Amino acid sequence: MPDQISASRYSGRRRNDVVAKVLAFAATAVGLGWLVLILGVLLWKGFSGLSVAVFTEMTPPPGAAGGLLNPIVGSLILTIIAVLIGTPIGILAGTYMAEYGRYDRLTSVVRFINDILLSAPSIVVGLFIYEVMVAPMGHFSGYAGGVALAVLVIPVVVRTTEDMLTLVPNALREAATSIGLPRSLSITRICYRAARAGMVTGVLLAVARISGETAPLLFTSLNNQFWSTNLNAPVSSLPVVIFQFALSPYKDWQSLAWTGALIITLAVLALSITARALVATGKQS
Amino acid sequence: MVDFALQGGAVVTAEAATRAKVLDRLRLSDAAFRHTTRAAAFGVLVLLSAVIISLIHGSLPALRTFGFGFLISERWNPVTDNFGALPAIYGTVVTSLIAMLIAVPVGLMIAFFLTELCPQWLRRPIGIAIELLAGIPSIIYGIWGLFVFAPFLQETLQPFLINTLGNVPGIAPLFAGPPYGIGMLTAGLILAIMVLPFVTSITRDVFEAVPGVLKEAAYGLGCTTWEVVRNVVLPYARVGVIGGIMLGLGRALGETMAVTFVIGNAHRISASILAPGTTISATIANEFTEAVGDLYTSALISLGLILFVITFIVLAIARYLLLRIERRIG
């Protein structure tokens, strides 16, 4: 009798175990399934609209054929501005945190704040830049869009720079100091070189993050139907055009939106895979 | 240096002078570099303060006009310049809640799979694939949600919910109304997919940090895999898991583009989760460029301020919890 009870108890426990394992399998399948589903639909809808015209022609008026040349160029320009502004600030701040003030109070506060900025809603950044740049200047501009994206770049670069510099062995710093190298040179010539792969990864991740960002651009760089490289005026960007075209009732625009979505996704995936590969090779060597 | 001392006095002073000059220059550049990096670190703090100050400054006109009532008013009428934040706050909370109700169990189960069940060689690829979900820009989720997911829900899940749960007394109002396709449920489901990678990757990391000895001891007592996870791994990793959940919640609350596409943008509070609604971020994204008049703009910036305060608190709690578990592991 006791044997039967313990046997039935054990079978109950085993049943729970099997159920939990099946659920775990199912959850993973669902997670991977979404990825496949999203990428699949994107490839399917995006490739059907892909042609040379997409890269050589301007955004069309409704009902006409056209391409995405001006938003693609606009996105590139905005990204370059963001990286040019955000990377130096991020690297310098990360350098202070890892090299000079590793055990400072300032560093722990900055790290905490930076981690929050890292996941802060990007639309708030758009509002912030609108308040400090667009409203005083009186008009939307490419500069404002670039700065808004730079605000998103900084936390990513700060985080990776600090992490990567922390990984540099202290023996390298000691060796540099022992041959009489000043601190600043030992950082720029020795530590930066040792952490280079990781720091480049940080910048790549930051670019991946901002290349799909729409919310901070909506009311900073706005949008521009025409070819314009004047950064003091509204500049077209790929995510904003996708937003506008996808919500429009015109079939041509919707199809261009899908193609634009495909281009962004491929760029982002390529960037993040490159970043991962860089980290992997950095770890091996 | 010994060589210098052996040479004539005149040479020594000349050498010493240039040496001193070089050292001075190095000392200067060294200090300059140090202070520049320090200034940049301060810059991060300044950035955060600037965001808060500018948002407060921008929202003053609306807050002065509506006062505390802004938070609890249901009105949103640009024509009469009458604004209240409640529908947007309600939509934000409900969509995030739906997202977390789905993403947390699924994320935990994926972490369970990755740490205990998955063969070693498959762990990295699956982990990376899940993390790629986090890399897809939110506008992609939006366009996919609008053209693929919403019509699908309209034809399948929503009629099903209306016909089954819609008849259950007590929860029936939650599933009332026609299947619009777009709406709060759709937004919540898409948010669930978007925060899933955050919950999964942090949960996996804290699961992996559970000491093997504890698990082995539990197995030694005859526990099944599930019992080990349920009674040993989960309690041990609890703080980190909650931190991961809060981080995901912070994302869900502030997510803009994906929600804007599928929420329906209706400034009202409906009991039914199938009905269109709006969120704070979707309202700002949709209306900001069209907002005419200072009060309208200011009301939208006030919404931004509310969103920022809410997410700041949630993310700060998340970071605090994760910091605690990092210290314990480290």
Side-chain angles (χ1 to χ4, degrees), chain B residues 61-102:
Chain B
L63 294 181
R64 226 179 265 140
T65 312
F66 304 114
F68 183 71
F70 184 72
L71 279 178
I72 49 169
S73 162
E74 255 186 73
R75 298 156 305 182
W76 188 268
N77 193 338
V79 181
T80 58
D81 258 354
N82 222 334
F83 301 102
L86 197 60
I89 296 176
Y90 174 80
T92 305
V93 171
V94 170
T95 50
S96 300
L97 207 66
I98 296 172
M100 299 320 287
L101 278 178
I102 296 164

Side-chain angles (χ1 to χ4, degrees), chain A residues 96-282:
Chain A
Y96 179 81
M97 292 159 74
E99 298 287 339
Y100 288 114
R102 198 178 284 192
Y103 306 102
D104 263 12
R105 197 158 176 73
L106 174 66
T107 299
S108 49
V109 174
V110 171
R111 191 181 299 136
F112 193 75
I113 296 297
N114 189 65
D115 279 348
I116 290 177
L117 284 178
L118 202 59
S119 1
S122 57
I123 191 147
V124 172
V125 173
L127 287 177
F128 165 57
I129 298 298
Y130 177 87
E131 277 284 296
V132 297
M133 284 186 76
V134 178
M137 286 163 80
H139 58 88
F140 300 102
S141 70
Y143 293 122
V147 174
L149 293 181
V151 174
L152 297 171
V153 168
I154 292 173
V156 183
V157 177
V158 168
R159 182 69 191 266
T160 44
T161 305
E162 195 210 346
D163 286 353
M164 291 304 149
L165 285 177
T166 312
L167 289 180
V168 174
N170 263 334
L172 279 181
R173 295 189 185 96
E174 285 159 9
T177 310
S178 74
I179 58 167
L181 215 55
R183 193 80 179 270
S184 60
L185 288 182
S186 97
I187 293 169
T188 49
R189 299 280 166 81
I190 310 289
C191 296
Y192 279 177
R193 218 166 272 189
R196 192 166 48 196
M199 287 159 70
V200 172
T201 303
V203 177
L204 287 182
L205 287 178
V207 172
R209 160 104 199 261
I210 60 170
S211 50
E213 277 293 353
T214 321
L217 296 178
L218 285 175
F219 24 85
T220 51
S221 66
L222 203 68
N223 195 1
N224 196 332
Q225 281 284 82
F226 309 102
W227 174 257
S228 164
T229 48
N230 178 8
L231 288 174
N232 207 18
V235 170
S236 176
S237 62
L238 212 38
V240 178
V241 167
I242 294 174
F243 179 51
Q244 189 196 345
F245 280 17
L247 287 178
S248 76
Y250 313 110
K251 277 274 170 284
D252 305 313
W253 276 16
Q254 289 179 1
S255 141
L256 269 179
W258 276 107
T259 308
L262 177 70
I263 295 173
I264 287 189
T265 310
L266 291 182
V268 169
L269 291 185
L271 280 168
S272 46
I273 289 169
T274 314
R276 269 168 208 287
L278 263 179
V279 170
T281 51

Side-chain angles (χ1 to χ4, degrees), chain B residues 166-238:
Chain B
N167 297 324
V168 179
I171 58 168
L174 278 177
F175 303 97
Y180 291 102
I182 55 174
M184 291 199 285
L185 178 67
T186 313
L189 289 174
I190 287 189
L191 281 178
I193 305 170
M194 297 184 70
V195 299
L196 182 63
F198 294 98
V199 178
T200 306
S201 66
I202 289 180
T203 314
R204 181 196 56 193
D205 291 349
V206 290
F207 275 16
E208 268 172 2
V210 175
V213 187
L214 288 181
K215 288 193 273 184
E216 282 157 21
Y219 280 120
L221 288 173
C223 286
T224 59
T225 315
W226 170 242
E227 283 165 349
V228 171
V229 171
R230 176 75 192 74
N231 301 316
V232 177
V233 174
L234 206 53
Y236 188 91
R238 193 184 56 223

Side-chain angles (χ1 to χ4, degrees), chain A residues 22-41:
Chain A
V22 168
L23 282 178
F25 268 109
T28 312
V30 167
L32 294 178
W34 284 122
L35 183 69
V36 173
L37 210 62
I38 291 172
L39 290 183
V41 170

Side-chain angles (χ1 to χ4, degrees), chain B residues 152-166:
Chain B
F152 170 77
L153 288 180
Q154 189 173 19
E155 283 163 19
T156 55
L157 182 69
Q158 292 188 346
F160 170 77
L161 286 175
I162 292 168
N163 292 330
T164 52
L165 294 177

Side-chain angles (χ1 to χ4, degrees), chain B residues 11-322:
Chain B
V11 183
V12 172
T13 44
E15 287 280 348
T18 42
R19 259 177 70 84
K21 228 190 239 165
V22 169
L23 282 178
D24 263 358
R25 212 171 52 221
L26 282 178
R27 197 172 295 130
L28 256 177
S29 66
D30 213 35
F33 186 72
R34 187 194 158 91
H35 287 298
T36 319
T37 59
R38 203 178 150 82
F42 262 115
V44 176
L45 300 185
V46 172
L47 191 63
L48 180 82
S49 335
V51 170
I52 296 173
I53 292 170
S54 75
L55 287 180
I56 291 177
H57 174 258
S59 54
L60 274 182
L63 294 181
R64 226 179 265 140
T65 312
F66 304 114
F68 183 71
F70 184 72
L71 279 178
I72 49 169
S73 162
E74 255 186 73
R75 298 156 305 182
W76 188 268
N77 193 338
V79 181
T80 58
D81 258 354
N82 222 334
F83 301 102
L86 197 60
I89 296 176
Y90 174 80
T92 305
V93 171
V94 170
T95 50
S96 300
L97 207 66
I98 296 172
M100 299 320 287
L101 278 178
I102 296 164
V104 170
V106 175
L108 280 174
M109 289 317 262
I110 296 180
F112 168 36
F113 177 81
L114 284 177
T115 51
E116 302 294 329
L117 305 178
C118 184
Q120 198 72 42
W121 59 272
L122 211 60
R123 283 184 194 184
R124 244 181 83 77
I126 293 185
I128 289 177
I130 298 284
E131 277 163 31
L132 281 185
L133 271 176
I136 298 177
S138 72
I139 188 149
I140 309 298
Y141 285 98
I143 188 173
W144 181 81
L146 179 66
F147 288 115
V148 182
F149 198 47
F152 170 77
L153 288 180
Q154 189 173 19
E155 283 163 19
T156 55
L157 182 69
Q158 292 188 346
F160 170 77
L161 286 175
I162 292 168
N163 292 330
T164 52
L165 294 177
N167 297 324
V168 179
I171 58 168
L174 278 177
F175 303 97
Y180 291 102
I182 55 174
M184 291 199 285
L185 178 67
T186 313
L189 289 174
I190 287 189
L191 281 178
I193 305 170
M194 297 184 70
V195 299
L196 182 63
F198 294 98
V199 178
T200 306
S201 66
I202 289 180
T203 314
R204 181 196 56 193
D205 291 349
V206 290
F207 275 16
E208 268 172 2
V210 175
V213 187
L214 288 181
K215 288 193 273 184
E216 282 157 21
Y219 280 120
L221 288 173
C223 286
T224 59
T225 315
W226 170 242
E227 283 165 349
V228 171
V229 171
R230 176 75 192 74
N231 301 316
V232 177
V233 174
L234 206 53
Y236 188 91
R238 193 184 56 223
V239 176
V241 170
I242 296 173
I245 292 172
M246 298 297 265
L247 199 64
L249 179 61
R251 288 273 171 174
L253 289 168
E255 180 45 55
T256 309
M257 297 321 292
V259 174
T260 307
F261 272 94
V262 296
I263 189 83
N265 302 307
H267 277 280
R268 64 181 123 98
I269 298 178
S270 324
S272 171
I273 58 169
L274 302 180
T278 191
T279 67
I280 295 177
S281 47
T283 306
I284 303 172
N286 261 314
E287 303 181 19
F288 198 83
T289 40
E290 291 157 15
V292 279
D294 290 341
L295 201 58
Y296 195 0
T297 308
S298 174
L300 288 169
I301 295 178
S302 312
L303 280 182
L305 179 66
I306 295 170
L307 176 67
F308 192 66
V309 170
I310 298 174
T311 48
F312 188 92
I313 294 170
V314 170
L315 291 172
I317 295 173
R319 284 300 164 192
Y320 171 72
L321 293 176
L322 291 175

